[in-house]
Amino acid sequence: MTRSRRSVRAVWALSIVVLLVALTIAGVGEPGARTTGERVEQIAATIKCPTCVGQSVAQSDAPASLAIRADIERRIGLGETDDGIRGAMATRFGPDILLSPSSSGLVGLVWLLPLVGATTSVAIVVVTVRRLRRNRGAVATDDERTLVAAALSDWIDESSL
Amino acid sequence: MFNAPLGLVGVALGLGASLAGAVSAGVAARRGNAATARAAKLYAGLVATGAVVAVVAMERALITRDFQLAYVAQVGSSRTPAVFNVAAMWSAFEGSILLWALVLAGFLVAVVVRFRATIADPLVGWALSAMFVICAFFFGLMAGPANPFRLVTPPVPLDGPGPNPLLQNHILMAFHPPILYLGYVGFSVPFAFAIGALITGRVGDGWMVITRRWTLLAWGFLTVGILLGSWWSYEVLGWGGFWAWDPVENASLLPWLTATAYIHSVLVQQRRGMLRVWNLSLLCATFSLTILGTFLTRSGVINSVHAFSESDIGPAILAFFVLTVVVSIGLIAWRGERLRSPGAIDSVASREAAFLANNALFAVFAFVVLLGTVFPLVIEALRGDRISVGRPYFDRMAVPLGLALLTLMAIAPVLPWRRSSTDALRDRLTVPIAAAAIVTAAAVAVGARGIVPALGFGLGGAAAGAALRQLYVNIRRHRWRGLFGATGGGMIVHVGFVILAVAITAAGAYSRRVELDLETGRKVEFAGHTLEFKGTEDVAVPSRVERRALIELDGSRILTPALQRFNGSAQTVGTPAIATSVSGDVYLSIVAFPEEGGARIVVVIMPLAYWLWTGGAVMGLGTILSIVPTRGRRRQPPLSAPELPTEASDQAAQSMVSTGQP
């Protein structure tokens, strides 16, 4: 093993150790506890302002949003959980008040379809790579030679345009 | 006042010349008639003249406060300052279409000038015909449902309300829409050439090469336009964020995602002759998405805080979108046989394979954004139920996709084309892995916690390491010229994107927000900062009245968030005050001034916000560097050169593309 090869291996080993240690520290100490005010804002960011256009309660200063923020603060004072507060808002204003759609029923498709899309795209990439890898080293057919010739013939030198 | 007739003459001229140009260029391309083809220059000039006349008429009407025009009565005001009065042209729907037509006419003229020597080439002819058709659509809108020169029903008002208050309290409104439109409209050039290539059957790489800079230019404008919009949102809307996954924001992001995928996959076609159908599809999708975005956000089917203009032209835009998609798919299907890819992938550990994965990720990202944006409409149409899909959904979806993209950005740039040995791969990934370790350790050392943000920082470090390594290799080989071209400029864009991604990660994970009641003489502490309310100050200028809160931050500087009321409007608009530093912003926004005194404010601590805009600027710089031609540039043939297994030869091959030196 050459000296430079050993150096590369050492850098890799050291980097992996540092990464593992750093990620462990980061993972163990998740961001700290929130104040009541911050918790209000975080819940408010997941609730739609009922009287505004395209804004969350956290974004809006409309009277309805101010009232909902006050209600969230009151409910936090009563010891309700974040999900409990969101559920109470959905009961009071309807499910469309929540900016995070339900994961059940027909609406749940909005969560499922991205997974289907991701799986499909991975499958397409795998199939494409396999198909294209089969072309390696193949002897070109006359048709393929024609295709290449056509591609080369329509090659336009930018300087001529 | 003759503004209305003058404007209508401009629109009629633009429409007539567009239609004549479309037919003329199409006929010339079909018959190979050089004399007819040259007439495109005249028609393009007339289209541009029509657009300029219409814009001049509208600006004149706004400046002279010609309230006979319904549009001026809607967005004009005698009290609006000059710069916002000029920018009022694009503050509502009809004026936005006028701006769109002006930019489109500008691109049309630029294409005619650039390709004047080969204007008789059928490929160029069909491309021009396609551009004339697009022009005709937008001038047609102005001649019909989006007429900006409609007159008011008497009596003529003596004054108007001015633009929406949110559009007249920040100078960015003068720049953000035009730059964004330069991006949107710019994609009509490569799209038109793609259509030309499909019609002529010359679906090789020629059309792609000659539109490379146009594509990059449009992408750069779109990138900067989106970021300026984000900056405007941050500086004006007062909620302390810069991206809310609002439908209008999503509408701008969608073509950006597909265009970014295209910019990468086009390299695979140029180097390896593959992905022809995919590249054409991406380009057609990008252009179609700009039209779909216009439909979604301007037709009123989706509400948005950014939608300052709505109209009843939804069906017309939807019809044009459908036409675009049908024509694109039809032409691609028609040319299916010619679009067969002759190339091959030699190894999974190759740049082309990484670009395939990159494209899959961008496609999924675009699908998720489109799905989340239109899903409420689908559910309402199917079941009559109203649902909301907002920021929590998009945030949850974007995090894994963003991390996956950063992972690819850390690997793809150092991968050679064709194949790589394990040893070479390990060597090339040494800098990225070391950078990941250093950045993650540094982030944890300064207090970053949480596995997702730590991964974001680490992968950002790796991606930056990969980009800087490639940049270094390129500069070492070509000296200062190594900063230019696809590799140099592209890697600088990567660095800018990483800066942006790290700033977004920090803002998403560590921003803190609270609403506070401030009283005179009482200090309030939040997130390590001390705030003290010092009183209020009233300011009155012709266009607005303003009440400012004087708030001392950390005992050293006074910030003045304010509430403004424009032109006697009942709507109050908050104007945040921001203390910016490289480590983060302290953002103050007024909620209300209670009658009993003091101020109710929102305080946001936004880490690394400065780097959001810096990252955007670096991306813009990288785009310019990648567009700037380098001396002696020469084309690569469409199929890749003989196998180049070593790093040195791979760099040599790269340099042939970026600098043209063999």
Side-chain angles (χ1 to χ4, degrees), chain B residues 616-632:
Chain B
V618 173
M619 289 177 79
L621 173 69
T623 308
I624 293 169
L625 293 177
S626 66
I627 292 171
V628 171
T630 48
R631 200 178 56 181

Side-chain angles (χ1 to χ4, degrees), chain B residues 172-207:
Chain B
L172 277 176
M173 270 320 294
F175 302 103
H176 155 57
I179 290 175
L180 192 66
Y181 279 26
L182 281 165
Y184 282 150
V185 180
F187 283 113
S188 45
V189 178
F191 170 74
F193 273 87
I195 294 295
L198 283 165
I199 292 174
T200 56
R202 287 157 56 181
V203 290
D205 306 340
W207 69 273

Side-chain angles (χ1 to χ4, degrees), chain A residues 29 38 41 69 96 158, chain B residues 388 449 512-513 515 635:
Chain A
E38 287 180 274
E41 295 297 326
R69 288 212 287 259
D96 67 315
E158 191 177 6
Chain B
S388 301
R449 294 294 182 269
R512 300 185 65 182
R513 187 178 196 279
E515 202 171 293
R635 295 278 153 238

Side-chain angles (χ1 to χ4, degrees), chain B residues 269-541:
Chain B
Q269 182 173 337
Q270 287 178 303
R271 292 298 298 262
R272 304 301 314 272
M274 296 179 284
L275 306 182
R276 288 180 174 180
V277 174
W278 178 241
N279 284 326
L280 282 162
S281 304
L282 278 176
L283 201 46
C284 293
T286 300
F287 179 75
S288 304
L289 285 169
T290 64
I291 304 297
L292 180 68
T294 307
F295 165 71
L296 288 175
T297 56
R298 297 291 180 254
S299 64
V301 296
I302 287 179
N303 291 323
S304 159
V305 70
H306 294 269
F308 298 103
S309 51
E310 286 182 6
S311 72
D312 53 2
I313 66 153
I317 300 181
L318 190 59
F320 188 63
F321 167 73
V322 171
L323 177 73
T324 306
V325 172
V326 168
V327 168
S328 302
I329 292 175
L331 285 173
I332 290 171
W334 179 45
R335 291 298 186 192
E337 187 58 30
R338 289 202 183 204
L339 290 168
R340 272 181 53 208
S341 296
I345 284 185
D346 294 325
S347 164
V348 174
S350 63
R351 190 173 297 180
E352 50 268 45
F355 279 176
L356 265 179
N358 149 305
N359 270 238
L361 266 176
F362 275 113
V364 172
F365 210 147
F367 172 68
V368 167
V369 174
L370 183 62
L371 177 72
T373 306
V374 302
F375 199 72
L377 294 177
V378 175
I379 290 295
E380 193 169 356
L382 290 178
R383 297 202 323 194
D385 294 343
R386 293 181 70 86
I387 67 158
S388 301
V389 179
R391 193 176 166 194
Y393 170 82
F394 289 107
D395 279 351
R396 191 174 293 183
M397 290 293 170
V399 166
L401 289 168
L403 291 177
L405 278 175
L406 283 174
T407 305
L408 274 178
M409 285 176 69
I411 297 170
V414 302
L415 283 175
W417 294 97
R418 302 199 67 137
R419 67 165 64 96
S420 174
S421 68
T422 310
D423 283 347
L425 201 56
R426 189 172 51 218
D427 286 352
R428 289 170 171 225
L429 284 170
T430 303
V431 172
I433 190 78
I438 291 167
V439 172
T440 310
V444 169
V446 298
R449 294 294 182 269
I451 196 75
V452 170
L455 277 173
F457 296 139
L459 290 170
L468 291 171
R469 176 193 180 278
Q470 289 307 94
L471 198 57
Y472 170 73
V473 171
N474 216 39
I475 290 172
R476 198 176 58 176
R477 186 166 194 84
H478 305 291
R479 291 182 291 175
W480 61 270
R481 286 197 194 92
L483 287 167
F484 296 86
T487 305
M491 289 304 103
I492 289 172
V493 171
H494 273 216
V495 170
F497 183 83
V498 167
I499 293 171
L500 190 67
V502 167
I504 290 172
T505 304
Y510 307 116
S511 65
R512 300 185 65 182
R513 187 178 196 279
V514 73
E515 202 171 293
L516 297 172
D517 285 311
L518 300 182
E519 298 165 15
T520 308
R522 187 169 68 90
K523 291 183 179 177
V524 179
E525 294 207 350
F526 176 66
H529 294 280
T530 306
L531 301 165
E532 184 175 359
F533 181 67
K534 293 286 189 182
T536 60
E537 183 179 83
D538 291 328
V539 177
V541 294

